[in-house]
Amino acid sequence: MDKVKKVRNREIRISDLALELGLTKGTISRALNGYEDISKKTRLRVIEAANKYGYVPSTPARRLALGLSETIGIVLPKISSQPVNTFVSEFINSISSNLNKYGYDLLVHTNESDAFEVEPYQRLVKSRKVDGFIIFRTLKKDKRVDYLLSENFPFVTYGRTARIMEHDWFDIDGEKAFEEATSHLIKMGHKRISFIGGGKEFFSAQFRIQGFRKMIGKSNLEKKHCVEMPGDLSGKGGEIAAHKLLEQKFPPTAILCSNDATALGVIKIAKELGFRIPEDLSVLGYDGIALGGYMDPPLSTLSFSIEECGREVVDLLINRLKEPKKPFKSKIAFANLQLRGSDGENS
Amino acid sequence: MDKVKKVRNREIRISDLALELGLTKGTISRALNGYEDISKKTRLRVIEAANKYGYVPSTPARRLALGLSETIGIVLPKISSQPVNTFVSEFINSISSNLNKYGYDLLVHTNESDAFEVEPYQRLVKSRKVDGFIIFRTLKKDKRVDYLLSENFPFVTYGRTARIMEHDWFDIDGEKAFEEATSHLIKMGHKRISFIGGGKEFFSAQFRIQGFRKMIGKSNLEKKHCVEMPGDLSGKGGEIAAHKLLEQKFPPTAILCSNDATALGVIKIAKELGFRIPEDLSVLGYDGIALGGYMDPPLSTLSFSIEECGREVVDLLINRLKEPKKPFKSKIAFANLQLRGSDGENS
DNA sequence: TTGTAGGCGTTATCAG
DNA sequence: CTGATAACGCCTACAA
């Protein structure tokens, strides 16, 4: 056992403060925690002394006594070196910042294997390291959700699941977004519009394709020219799909992508194959990553506020912790069509 | 006080296990923590029972008893919505994953105001929430470093500071990287090479410019045509600098940028001004962000492994915690010139 | 309004 | 090799 040696803190403890003020620990604790049955005078003395000596309660002790960790966990997939992950960074930033407002901390854990394994969640639950979880990139049948529900452990998801009525969740309306994008392209005169999906394991991918299908269905375009291709939310996936789509006899004049990374891959291949963008081919992404604006041409996309996602998710979870019995809540936000240059009229 | 109500865990405790096995808590604890003075037989019984009942020690209790949090803190700047932040995401991923190997957790905190304020560090230290810190984006005179040193609190930096001999640190050799990049451009026949900096508050920015200056100095290029421009590590900063540089009478034929985001801004403006890349202008970035490969042309850059950065930083810190008295260590890694298409010969 | 005492679940020390 | 017993530092009934 070469454990790290404990270095006893020279930090001031509640007993020091008690001694100093000639009060007892209990009184100090109550004074500081806003109990009403404390004389104003004592409370002030205590607070003043606490400030003077820089007293801050020991979190571990507090947590043990309270039986709470005041910490929320999030588990990141280990391999996320996709361009997508500008999302993760902003999401964490927002979550952390919003949790801090409520006095909660954010514990970031990494999943070594499959991103959807429950094992890290189990360990975190069993070791009482967190009071709740934020789960993102949900699957329709999500084992993580199943596990936490079975344990009756608080969590919120960013993204819907099959058990939507049994937990709090927040999501972007991907269906509506792609309806809007599709009808925009139709309006621009495109007759052959294709769609590249996002790996059907992600539940959200289904909503996006639904939006596409719905508007294509309503239109009078020739369905056989409106192809759906599988993708995987990566640039590479976009490249592969683009090859297949653009080397057809009647290639699409517009491609709708399930995310920006995919769109970048599509644009890359399209250029290699001699398509001009947007003259010969319109490309639309989804996510609104900042770098899209630096592409040539700047990527048109459906964007939404990641800060908002983080904030909403945190609010839902904190409310759940405060009132565990309340009915589950959900919220949907909308993406905005942001036309920057990679789309245009069909000539 | 509308505190979250404590829901006493039905999780199994050490006392349950002790009762079940007819042993005492102490014995269970020692058996599970690998003490030698336990009979093989008992140890096995204990371990087996622990597995059977899914016993995991309560972290809060353990932390209180040990006087350790087994948690490392990192403070993110609130506003980091620059393209740079793909870095943050990968960095956190790597740090978290490597910490987990050592049984440590990662606590992510957000700085509401100035990214270099010490206040969040103070709170985290005083509340004993963390045992150490990882600091990145260091300044030459860094208040965070000053504070932690004054408290004798363990930390490691990614990036150098003025007090380099007083703490552990890891860094990329930016000077060497820019020497290499500069001489590459000289070799390619460029006579007018410019440099866009990265906000001189960052210590690392100074090393980069030094590398540039050194090689320009050694060369026989006309110095007045090798301009240095200030930047801020953002795409916008690159755009502004590019305007100034490219609208000169004798614009540079190559621009070296302090990071990839800056380079993207430069390329954008260069194209707008009618420069072909790389025929009329070579552009080199630094960071090696994945999206660079999807630019048109793909961005040439100096890249390094963020995974490695995280790993090295974690190793340094864990060693520090294990052996607080050991002399400080540091490590430097090198960036690799990755030529992808945005640079070429000067014709 | 304040003090007392016990508990939170571990780990560590010291006998036996 | 194992069992008591005492921390760890805070919170909270209950008593005064």
Side-chain angles (χ1 to χ4, degrees):
Chain A
M1 296 275 63
D2 65 344
K3 282 217 216 72
V4 173
K5 277 288 176 308
K6 160 169 80 178
V7 184
R8 275 292 160 224
N9 273 308
R10 62 293 182 214
E11 300 287 343
I12 187 166
R13 289 148 306 192
I14 199 170
S15 54
D16 299 328
L17 218 55
L19 204 66
E20 176 72 22
L21 294 177
L23 294 168
T24 56
K25 298 190 291 178
T27 308
I28 306 280
S29 173
R30 284 180 307 236
L32 256 22
N33 287 314
Y35 278 61
E36 290 304 330
D37 57 354
I38 289 279
S39 79
K40 202 152 219 159
K41 196 177 133 204
T42 326
R43 182 192 306 281
L44 286 175
R45 269 183 72 214
V46 172
I47 290 175
E48 198 182 339
N51 288 333
K52 178 175 165 198
Y53 294 106
Y55 168 73
V56 177
S58 155
T59 307
R62 182 183 156 74
R63 286 179 178 169
L64 178 57
L66 249 34
L68 283 177
S69 67
E70 289 172 321
T71 298
I72 298 302
I74 189 167
V75 180
L76 303 183
K78 165 87 181 186
I79 300 129
S80 67
S81 35
Q82 307 293 1
V84 198
N85 65 7
T86 78
F87 168 82
V88 173
S89 163
E90 286 187 51
F91 192 48
I92 288 190
N93 218 303
S94 170
I95 288 175
S96 162
S97 153
N98 282 292
L99 281 176
N100 290 169
K101 284 182 202 153
Y102 292 105
Y104 274 75
D105 291 318
L106 178 64
L107 177 64
V108 174
H109 206 273
T110 304
N111 200 333
E112 293 304 323
S113 54
D114 174 2
F116 312 108
E117 276 310 319
V118 296
E119 194 268 341
Y121 293 86
Q122 288 174 322
R123 282 226 311 273
L124 257 14
V125 166
K126 290 219 154 291
S127 60
R128 288 88 140 181
K129 280 181 180 171
V130 301
D131 294 338
F133 285 103
I134 291 169
I135 294 182
F136 68 112
R137 293 200 187 144
T138 47
L139 309 185
K140 186 161 185 179
K141 292 199 161 206
D142 200 302
K143 281 188 271 183
R144 301 166 296 179
V145 168
D146 292 340
Y147 167 67
L148 293 174
L149 280 177
S150 76
E151 290 285 324
N152 192 27
F153 200 87
F155 70 97
V156 59
T157 64
Y158 169 37
R160 280 160 277 187
T161 73
R163 306 182 71 174
I164 223 167
M165 305 302 290
E166 302 172 63
H167 64 260
D168 303 293
W169 56 272
F170 170 84
D171 205 356
I172 304 288
D173 193 335
E175 180 169 3
K176 191 158 179 183
F178 277 79
E179 283 175 20
E180 198 181 333
T182 309
S183 54
H184 166 74
L185 290 172
I186 294 174
K187 230 174 283 166
M188 297 295 264
H190 291 277
K191 309 286 183 215
R192 299 193 302 274
I193 306 174
S194 285
F195 173 91
I196 302 176
K200 57 186 174 180
E201 64 271 28
F202 290 107
F203 201 17
S204 60
Q206 298 190 18
F207 293 102
R208 298 180 199 168
I209 204 169
Q210 270 171 35
F212 170 74
R213 281 181 191 158
K214 186 166 162 188
M215 296 321 270
I216 294 293
K218 280 192 185 172
S219 75
N220 46 17
L221 302 186
E222 274 203 62
K223 306 305 177 276
K224 69 171 177 183
H225 285 137
C226 296
V227 185
E228 293 169 11
M229 291 290 292
D232 63 358
L233 299 177
S234 79
K236 200 71 202 162
E239 295 182 37
I240 294 166
H243 264 297
K244 293 192 186 151
L245 286 173
L246 297 175
E247 285 164 353
Q248 295 175 108
K249 194 170 173 188
F250 295 104
T253 61
I255 300 182
L256 217 51
C257 304
S258 280
N259 74 343
D260 284 348
T262 302
L264 298 189
V266 168
I267 289 178
K268 182 179 172 199
I269 297 304
K271 283 184 177 176
E272 286 177 17
L273 296 177
F275 288 78
R276 292 166 305 157
I277 294 172
E279 293 82 356
D280 305 329
L281 178 71
S282 287
V283 179
L284 244 58
Y286 179 91
D287 269 350
I289 62 178
L291 249 53
Y294 286 96
M295 298 299 297
D296 178 26
L299 183 62
S300 293
T301 185
L302 290 150
S303 79
F304 52 88
S305 159
I306 300 177
E307 201 290 319
E308 180 186 352
C309 296
R311 183 163 25 87
E312 296 291 355
V313 154
V314 165
D315 285 348
L316 287 168
L317 184 52
I318 296 293
N319 284 329
R320 172 66 40 216
L321 293 174
K322 278 191 181 160
E323 303 178 302
K325 301 295 179 192
K326 281 272 175 89
F328 295 110
K329 277 213 257 182
S330 60
K331 186 155 178 181
I332 287 195
F334 301 99
N336 297 307
L337 197 52
Q338 196 178 352
L339 304 178
R340 292 193 285 205
S342 66
D343 71 296
E345 294 197 16
N346 183 32
S347 43
Chain B
M1 296 269 63
D2 66 344
K3 281 217 215 76
V4 174
K5 275 290 174 306
K6 161 168 79 178
V7 184
R8 278 290 161 224
N9 273 307
R10 61 299 182 209
E11 301 288 341
I12 186 165
R13 289 149 305 190
I14 199 169
S15 55
D16 299 328
L17 219 54
L19 204 65
E20 177 71 23
L21 294 178
L23 294 168
T24 55
K25 298 190 292 178
T27 308
I28 306 280
S29 174
R30 284 181 309 237
L32 256 22
N33 287 315
Y35 279 63
E36 289 304 330
D37 56 354
I38 289 277
S39 80
K40 202 152 218 159
K41 195 177 133 203
T42 325
R43 183 193 306 283
L44 285 176
R45 270 183 72 213
V46 172
I47 291 175
E48 198 183 338
N51 287 333
K52 177 176 166 196
Y53 294 105
Y55 168 72
V56 177
S58 155
T59 307
R62 183 182 155 75
R63 286 179 178 168
L64 178 57
L66 250 35
L68 285 176
S69 66
E70 289 172 319
T71 299
I72 299 303
I74 189 167
V75 180
L76 303 183
K78 167 85 181 188
I79 301 130
S80 67
S81 35
Q82 307 292 0
V84 200
N85 66 7
T86 78
F87 169 82
V88 173
S89 161
E90 287 187 50
F91 192 48
I92 287 189
N93 219 303
S94 171
I95 288 174
S96 161
S97 154
N98 283 291
L99 282 175
N100 290 169
K101 284 183 201 153
Y102 292 104
Y104 274 74
D105 290 319
L106 178 63
L107 177 64
V108 173
H109 206 274
T110 304
N111 200 332
E112 291 304 323
S113 53
D114 175 3
F116 312 107
E117 275 310 320
V118 296
E119 194 269 341
Y121 293 86
Q122 288 174 324
R123 283 225 311 273
L124 256 15
V125 167
K126 290 220 154 289
S127 60
R128 288 87 139 181
K129 280 181 178 170
V130 301
D131 294 337
F133 285 102
I134 290 169
I135 294 183
F136 68 112
R137 294 199 187 145
T138 47
L139 309 185
K140 185 161 185 177
K141 291 200 163 206
D142 200 302
K143 280 188 272 183
R144 302 168 294 180
V145 168
D146 292 341
Y147 167 68
L148 294 174
L149 280 177
S150 76
E151 290 284 325
N152 193 26
F153 200 88
F155 69 98
V156 59
T157 63
Y158 169 38
R160 280 160 276 188
T161 73
R163 306 181 71 174
I164 224 167
M165 305 302 291
E166 303 172 63
H167 64 261
D168 301 294
W169 56 271
F170 170 84
D171 205 356
I172 304 286
D173 194 335
E175 181 169 4
K176 190 159 179 182
F178 277 79
E179 283 175 20
E180 197 180 333
T182 309
S183 53
H184 167 74
L185 291 172
I186 293 174
K187 231 174 280 166
M188 298 295 264
H190 292 276
K191 308 288 184 214
R192 299 193 302 274
I193 305 174
S194 284
F195 174 91
I196 301 176
K200 57 186 175 182
E201 65 271 26
F202 290 108
F203 201 18
S204 59
Q206 298 189 19
F207 292 102
R208 297 180 199 168
I209 203 169
Q210 269 171 34
F212 170 75
R213 280 180 192 159
K214 186 167 162 189
M215 297 320 272
I216 294 293
K218 279 190 183 174
S219 76
N220 46 18
L221 302 186
E222 275 203 60
K223 306 304 177 273
K224 69 170 176 184
H225 284 138
C226 296
V227 185
E228 293 170 10
M229 291 290 292
D232 63 357
L233 298 177
S234 79
K236 201 70 202 163
E239 295 183 37
I240 293 167
H243 264 296
K244 293 192 186 149
L245 286 173
L246 298 175
E247 284 164 355
Q248 296 175 106
K249 195 169 175 191
F250 295 105
T253 61
I255 299 181
L256 217 51
C257 303
S258 280
N259 74 343
D260 284 348
T262 302
L264 298 189
V266 168
I267 290 177
K268 183 179 172 198
I269 297 304
K271 284 183 177 176
E272 287 179 15
L273 296 177
F275 288 78
R276 291 166 306 158
I277 296 171
E279 293 81 358
D280 305 328
L281 179 70
S282 287
V283 178
L284 244 58
Y286 178 91
D287 269 350
I289 62 177
L291 249 56
Y294 286 96
M295 297 300 296
D296 179 24
L299 183 62
S300 294
T301 185
L302 291 151
S303 77
F304 51 89
S305 158
I306 300 178
E307 202 289 321
E308 180 187 352
C309 296
R311 182 163 26 88
E312 296 291 355
V313 154
V314 165
D315 285 348
L316 286 168
L317 185 52
I318 296 292
N319 284 329
R320 171 66 39 215
L321 293 174
K322 278 190 180 161
E323 304 179 302
K325 302 294 179 192
K326 280 272 177 87
F328 295 110
K329 277 213 255 180
S330 60
K331 186 156 177 180
I332 288 196
F334 301 100
N336 297 306
L337 196 51
Q338 196 177 353
L339 304 178
R340 292 193 284 203
S342 66
D343 71 297
E345 294 197 16
N346 181 31
S347 44

